[in-house]
Amino acid sequence: MASIESILTETRVFPPADAFARQANVSGMDGYEALCRQAESDYEGFWANLARQHIDWKKPFTRTLDESGAPFYKWFDDGELNVSYNCLDRHLASKGDKTALIFEADDGSVTQVTYKELHARVCQFANGLKSLGVEQGDRVIVYMPMSIEAVVAMQACARIGAIHSVVFGGFSAKSLFERIEDARAKVIVTADESLRGGKAVPLKHAVDEALAMGDTSCVERVVVYRRSGGDIAWGGRDLWWHELAQTQAETCEPVWVSAEHPLFILYTSGSTGKPKGVQHSTGGYLLGAMLSMLWVFDAKPDSDVYWCTADVGWITGHTYVAYGPLSLGMTEVIFEGIPTFPHAGRFWETVAKHKVTTFYTAPTAIRSLIKLGSDLPAQYDLSSLRLLGTVGEPINPEAWMWYQQVIGGGRCPVVDTWWQTETGSHMIAPLPGAVPTKPGSCTLPLPGIMAAITDEHGGPVEKGHGGFLVIQRPFPSQLRTLWGDPDRFRKTYFPEELGGKTYLAGDSAHRDDDGYFWIMGRIDDVLNVSGHRLGTMEIESALVANPRVAEAAVVGRPHEIKGEAVVAYVVLKGTRPVGEEAKKIVAELRDWVGKEIGPIAKPDEIRFGDNLPKTRSGKIMRRLLRAIAKGEEITQDVSTLENPAILDQLKEAVK
Ligand code: ATP
Ligand code: MG
């Protein structure tokens, strides 16, 4: 018995507005269902047509899907293409002078580049990499701040068939070392420092440290982009970006690669164990990026100003910053800073300044902005917005409502996009002109994505119950393997228990009567309370629905009688309560959860903090909170926490 009980009911439904539906790339449920039917009746034909329609192939493919080596699937593998050509060259004739990137720096200064300029810079850097001996298949680590140059570096690798592995600039030297070692990188591209919220973060210094940590003899050169001009140490393999690139030719013939050639490796955050080097393909990945831009973001290349706030260090910054928008010839904002610098209205000011139409961010950013109140966004002109997106964690229904009403003015569809580093592009998300949305649900799978919920043997789960979220057919943008570790790839994502061909996502979810998917949390986080298996998301959402509460995280702690007790960590909208006041609010919140979803979910204990511990990508670290709830010694790496002092607050029970 591994099904998970669903206890939260959410009944609000928001059908697409007529005006939006009329102009949408996919309009009405008929439009959506027609695409789904095409995929069901001729699965390979469906993908093959789309791949021919949207991608420029140097050599057309004749084979669509090769399942002979399952789960090592191949898509379009005898076709040849280049991603950088698809993102840049093919737009030059029609929109060479169009703005490709609007770079909004930490201090608010703005730099714009056109498609023509971006193409020239990518070619120069690609030629520079070639002059260093970088060849097709070589690995290049990109450890950069959010910048035009980060995108140039990634596109330049793609242009010459080198495999980039971007490491988030907030990661420590140790994490960087592990990734350099695992990927056996030939070149590292970095900057002297990055600037975040007015503070300099030493990147080059971290590279120097990483290179001293073990055998890094694979690394031949370190290319340094001068961002801040801060002091850095200089060694024999170091080389300035501008010195490398400025003398190079502004054209560079793309290297045409097989659709299955690895475009990049991206290590997942790896909260436990060795990080996993998720390896993506060229053709299938590009197709996933393009289709989801068109379907889920309803991309209108000629009129949209698109802004995804994710760092290029995450998959979101790959698919929805570095590749997706450029492949369609869009104008996009690239943001260096943080949401609250130099003031808490920075996001909304930036939307108004660049007349952003499409805004994509994470629930953590939304929740922290909710805490600051609704008056703040009201001070800015947000009327340019037409679509809002969210990714990274389940968005609690009340946070969704705030986003939809306060930021979207009730006018913009909200697309809650469920996907993962491993899936490469959106998997379950509303097509905004077609699928009615429900706060807290990522709604329905994209056409062609055969998502389902099963028990641990791959069998169906009872109605109203949750289970394992799986994808039952291979799809073009999925990971191809884990770099250098095919066994781990197979065991982690295609376990024998599910037949060896079904993709196991690692999240739990349930479906409602309309077939909508509701993510309940990660399988590892499921609680077992008196024989009831509960996802973390629903109890957290019930807490966030209380007007006092800004954020909540729920974990289990062993309990003699019940199996597990529910421990909730809560951040209130006001200040952190203590003493009698804290006790009063605990009682109130326990009652509230009892009434919202039932007595079984009532937290046994509630603790208050000014904030919650998050990963660098903004996800709540429930594993860490579990250790704190048990009173265990903390063994996790907490060096990357923005504010480690909150851990002491969270260790304190309300007495
Ligand atoms: P690691 O695998 O190393 O622990 P990670 O899973 O946090 O890292 P990502 O691939 O960036 O790294 O995140 C994917 C996960 O994020 C999903 O499996 C899911 O748990 C969560 N997630 C992403 N988007 C959504 C969403 N819209 N709704 C609910 N959960 C989401
Ligand atoms: Mg994951």
Side-chain angles (χ1 to χ4, degrees), residues 267-272 276 314-316 363 390-395 416-422 428 442 493 505-507 519 521-522 615 617 619 623:
Y267 290 86
T268 64
S269 47
S271 3
T272 57
K276 302 190 281 268
W314 312 118
I315 188 67
T316 308
T390 147
V391 60
E393 280 189 296
I395 180 163
D416 175 359
T417 60
W418 179 85
W419 62 296
Q420 308 175 294
T421 305
E422 294 87 344
I428 310 180
C442 50
Y493 303 111
D507 287 343
I519 307 294
R522 296 174 191 252
T615 63
S617 55
K619 303 187 191 204
R623 261 183 283 247

Side-chain angles (χ1 to χ4, degrees), residues 135-353:
E135 291 174 359
Q136 178 173 351
D138 285 341
R139 275 81 58 213
V140 173
I141 295 257
V142 176
Y143 185 62
M144 289 280 278
M146 276 304 274
S147 53
I148 292 168
E149 285 69 17
V151 174
V152 168
M154 294 164 78
Q155 288 280 348
C157 288
R159 194 158 190 95
I160 60 173
I163 304 169
H164 61 69
S165 183
V166 182
V167 177
F168 174 57
F171 275 144
S172 64
K174 174 140 186 300
S175 312
L176 179 60
F177 167 70
E178 287 165 358
R179 288 156 176 77
I180 295 169
E181 202 188 27
D182 193 74
R184 305 304 298 162
K186 193 173 203 174
V187 167
I188 299 177
V189 183
T190 189
D192 49 2
E193 296 175 319
S194 74
L195 299 172
R196 290 186 84 236
K199 287 195 217 88
V201 182
L203 294 182
K204 170 63 165 59
H205 180 68
V207 172
D208 293 342
E209 270 186 291
L211 290 177
M213 283 180 172
D215 176 15
T216 53
S217 55
C218 53
V219 178
E220 294 174 11
R221 304 307 291 264
V222 177
V223 181
V224 186
Y225 160 58
R226 186 184 278 150
R227 171 66 187 101
S228 69
D231 271 346
I232 52 174
W234 203 252
R237 52 184 160 186
D238 301 339
L239 179 79
W240 285 111
W241 171 301
H242 52 269
E243 287 176 5
L244 174 68
Q246 71 198 1
T247 53
Q248 302 290 343
E250 291 185 359
T251 55
C252 170
E253 174 67 11
V255 172
W256 306 104
V257 297
S258 150
E260 278 299 316
H261 179 68
L263 179 65
F264 64 87
I265 307 166
L266 180 62
Y267 290 86
T268 64
S269 47
S271 3
T272 57
K274 190 165 160 272
K276 302 190 281 268
V278 171
Q279 179 181 319
H280 277 287
S281 72
T282 294
Y285 172 80
L286 180 63
L287 183 62
M290 294 189 71
L291 292 176
S292 51
M293 289 291 309
L294 289 165
W295 287 345
V296 180
F297 292 145
D298 191 46
K300 298 287 190 301
D302 293 332
S303 51
D304 276 337
V305 176
Y306 165 97
W307 180 20
C308 164
T309 67
D311 192 280
V312 289
W314 312 118
I315 188 67
T316 308
H318 282 60
T319 311
Y320 299 109
V321 177
Y323 292 116
L326 296 177
S327 68
L328 292 177
M330 299 183 75
T331 296
E332 66 169 317
V333 175
I334 293 206
F335 181 67
E336 179 179 42
I338 57 172
T340 48
F341 177 84
H343 56 80
R346 182 66 188 274
F347 264 10
W348 318 128
E349 181 186 59
T350 305
V351 166
K353 181 168 162 189

Side-chain angles (χ1 to χ4, degrees), residues 264-491:
F264 64 87
I265 307 166
L266 180 62
Y267 290 86
T268 64
S269 47
S271 3
T272 57
K274 190 165 160 272
K276 302 190 281 268
V278 171
Q279 179 181 319
H280 277 287
S281 72
T282 294
Y285 172 80
L286 180 63
L287 183 62
M290 294 189 71
L291 292 176
S292 51
M293 289 291 309
L294 289 165
W295 287 345
V296 180
F297 292 145
D298 191 46
K300 298 287 190 301
D302 293 332
S303 51
D304 276 337
V305 176
Y306 165 97
W307 180 20
C308 164
T309 67
D311 192 280
V312 289
W314 312 118
I315 188 67
T316 308
H318 282 60
T319 311
Y320 299 109
V321 177
Y323 292 116
L326 296 177
S327 68
L328 292 177
M330 299 183 75
T331 296
E332 66 169 317
V333 175
I334 293 206
F335 181 67
E336 179 179 42
I338 57 172
T340 48
F341 177 84
H343 56 80
R346 182 66 188 274
F347 264 10
W348 318 128
E349 181 186 59
T350 305
V351 166
K353 181 168 162 189
H354 301 296
K355 300 204 167 33
V356 170
T357 58
T358 311
F359 180 70
Y360 190 34
T361 197
T364 181
I366 298 167
R367 288 188 304 250
S368 66
L369 292 163
I370 292 176
K371 218 167 19 179
L372 303 173
S374 306
D375 309 346
L376 200 66
Q379 293 166 24
Y380 300 92
D381 178 8
L382 303 180
S383 61
S384 58
L385 288 171
R386 68 178 196 95
L387 186 135
L388 301 173
T390 147
V391 60
E393 280 189 296
I395 180 163
N396 315 106
E398 290 321 312
W400 191 102
M401 288 301 301
W402 185 89
Y403 197 30
Q404 199 253 10
Q405 308 218 305
V406 178
I407 305 306
R411 171 187 83 246
C412 306
V414 172
V415 293
D416 175 359
T417 60
W418 179 85
W419 62 296
Q420 308 175 294
T421 305
E422 294 87 344
T423 67
S425 60
H426 299 154
M427 294 286 108
I428 310 180
L431 273 46
V435 177
T437 53
K438 303 183 186 185
S441 168
C442 50
T443 75
L444 299 172
L446 269 60
I449 300 303
M450 307 302 176
I453 292 163
T454 69
D455 66 17
E456 72 267 49
H457 307 295
V461 293
E462 258 175 82
K463 207 169 170 210
H465 283 244
F468 295 170
L469 178 53
V470 301
I471 301 171
Q472 294 175 315
R473 295 278 283 138
F475 50 94
S477 71
Q478 77 193 55
L479 80 164
R480 294 302 189 259
T481 187
L482 290 176
W483 180 256
D485 204 345
D487 273 355
R488 190 173 179 201
F489 164 77
R490 194 195 280 271
K491 284 190 193 123

